[in-house]
Amino acid sequence: KASSAQPSTSTQTTAPSSSKHPEYQRSDDDDRCLPSQPEQLDSKTIQAYEALDKWKLCDQSDVPSRLVYQHNRSRAAATGFPTRLKTGSNLGLTDHETAAIFGWTTGDYRFINPIARGLHVAEFDEYPFLPNKLTKVKCRLYREDVVPYVTVLHSALSKLPDLPSRHQRLWRGHRRKVTPSPTIGDIVTMEGFVSVTRDRESALEFATKANEGRSNERTLVAFLEHSSAKCVAKLSARSGETEALFLPGAMFE
C-alpha cells in the first residue's frame, strides 16, 4: 500500500493500442476496446459547447456565470508567444478545439473525465470569488451539459500528432490504487482521457499532493512503450508539466 507521502506501488504498462473503477478495466477482447472515431463537430455541438456554464449548478446562489469556451479562449489568446491560440491554429485546430485543450490543463478535467468515463453527474470544487475571497464552493454538471466539451476535446486530440518516440518513458501520478490489480500479460483499458507526463517528478508531485483525491492510496504508473500519446504541452496553461494525453479507450498490456 502507498502513503500520501511517497507512492510505493509502481504499475508498469506497455504497448497501448484505451472503466469499472471506472477508469481501469481488464479485457480479453481487444476489438471491443479499440478507440472510437471522433464525432463530427456539427453546429449543434459547437453551440452547446459555447453555452456551457460550469458554475451554473453550485451550492451557493450568488456564484457568477463562467462560460468555459469564452473564458478559455480568452486566456489561450493571452498566454505565451506565440499565443496558445495561434499555436493551435498552426497545428490545424479550430479556436474551439484549442480552447478545449487549454481548458483541460487549467482544471476542467475534474468534470470532463467523470463524464467521459460514463458517469451521469460530475461534482467538483471551485473558487469562483477569487481574487477577492478564498471561498470553496461545490459545483456539479450533468452529462448532457459536458458531452459537447468531451466531443470537442476528442476532436482536437485526434488532430494532433503522436509523440515521436514510442520508447520514451511516460509517467502518471494516480491518487488511488489501480484496481483491479493487473498481472503480467493482462490487457488493461482506460476510459476517459489519460493524462501522463514525460517528467517523473511532476507525476510524483501530482500523486502526493496533500488533501487531493478521495483515497489515501497512491500509485505511480510507468508507460514503457506507447504509440498514441498526444503532446499538449504547447497548448497548455502549464507547459512545464510536459503533459500528454491518451484518448478514451486506450489499451495497455
Side-chain angles (χ1 to χ4, degrees), residues 100-175:
I101 293 177
F102 188 89
W104 166 278
T105 69
T106 66
D108 287 354
Y109 64 85
R110 292 170 300 148
F111 60 85
I112 292 174
N113 246 3
I115 301 304
R117 293 171 185 156
L119 296 185
H120 291 285
V121 61
E123 293 190 348
F124 53 101
D125 293 328
E126 286 283 295
Y127 294 86
F129 303 109
L130 290 176
N132 300 320
K133 291 192 299 182
L134 186 64
T135 303
K136 183 167 69 172
V137 177
K138 180 74 70 177
C139 301
R140 66 191 57 80
L141 287 170
Y142 289 95
R143 183 173 183 80
E144 57 268 26
D145 297 315
V146 182
V147 163
Y149 198 160
V150 173
T151 302
V152 175
L153 179 59
H154 194 293
S155 174
L157 294 173
S158 70
K159 293 181 179 180
L160 296 180
D162 298 334
L163 284 176
S165 175
R166 62 182 298 162
H167 296 288
Q168 181 179 33
R169 187 165 298 187
L170 301 176
W171 302 92
R172 176 173 172 80
H174 203 58
R175 293 170 179 163

Side-chain angles (χ1 to χ4, degrees), residues 27-35 251:
S27 173
D28 298 318
D29 184 352
D30 290 3
D31 291 336
R32 179 171 61 85
C33 302
L34 291 176
M251 183 188 309

Side-chain angles (χ1 to χ4, degrees), residues 37-195:
Q37 293 299 314
E39 299 179 39
Q40 186 68 30
L41 293 183
D42 56 27
S43 59
K44 184 177 179 180
T45 298
I46 293 298
Q47 290 170 6
Y49 173 50
E50 291 178 346
L52 175 58
D53 176 5
K54 73 175 180 178
W55 292 346
K56 73 174 185 176
L57 295 173
C58 295
D59 288 348
Q60 287 189 210
S61 59
D62 58 341
V63 172
S65 64
R66 175 55 58 86
L67 298 175
V68 294
Y69 168 64
Q70 182 184 78
H71 180 72
N72 292 332
R73 185 193 182 282
S74 177
R75 289 191 61 190
T79 301
F81 184 81
T83 68
R84 300 294 187 263
L85 204 63
K86 178 62 175 177
T87 299
S89 177
N90 291 342
L91 290 170
L93 304 183
T94 67
D95 285 3
H96 292 87
E97 291 168 332
T98 300
I101 293 177
F102 188 89
W104 166 278
T105 69
T106 66
D108 287 354
Y109 64 85
R110 292 170 300 148
F111 60 85
I112 292 174
N113 246 3
I115 301 304
R117 293 171 185 156
L119 296 185
H120 291 285
V121 61
E123 293 190 348
F124 53 101
D125 293 328
E126 286 283 295
Y127 294 86
F129 303 109
L130 290 176
N132 300 320
K133 291 192 299 182
L134 186 64
T135 303
K136 183 167 69 172
V137 177
K138 180 74 70 177
C139 301
R140 66 191 57 80
L141 287 170
Y142 289 95
R143 183 173 183 80
E144 57 268 26
D145 297 315
V146 182
V147 163
Y149 198 160
V150 173
T151 302
V152 175
L153 179 59
H154 194 293
S155 174
L157 294 173
S158 70
K159 293 181 179 180
L160 296 180
D162 298 334
L163 284 176
S165 175
R166 62 182 298 162
H167 296 288
Q168 181 179 33
R169 187 165 298 187
L170 301 176
W171 302 92
R172 176 173 172 80
H174 203 58
R175 293 170 179 163
R176 64 176 74 92
K177 288 181 64 176
V178 174
T179 56
S181 298
T183 58
I184 294 175
D186 282 349
I187 300 299
V188 177
T189 63
M190 296 184 181
E191 294 189 2
F193 300 93
V194 181
S195 175

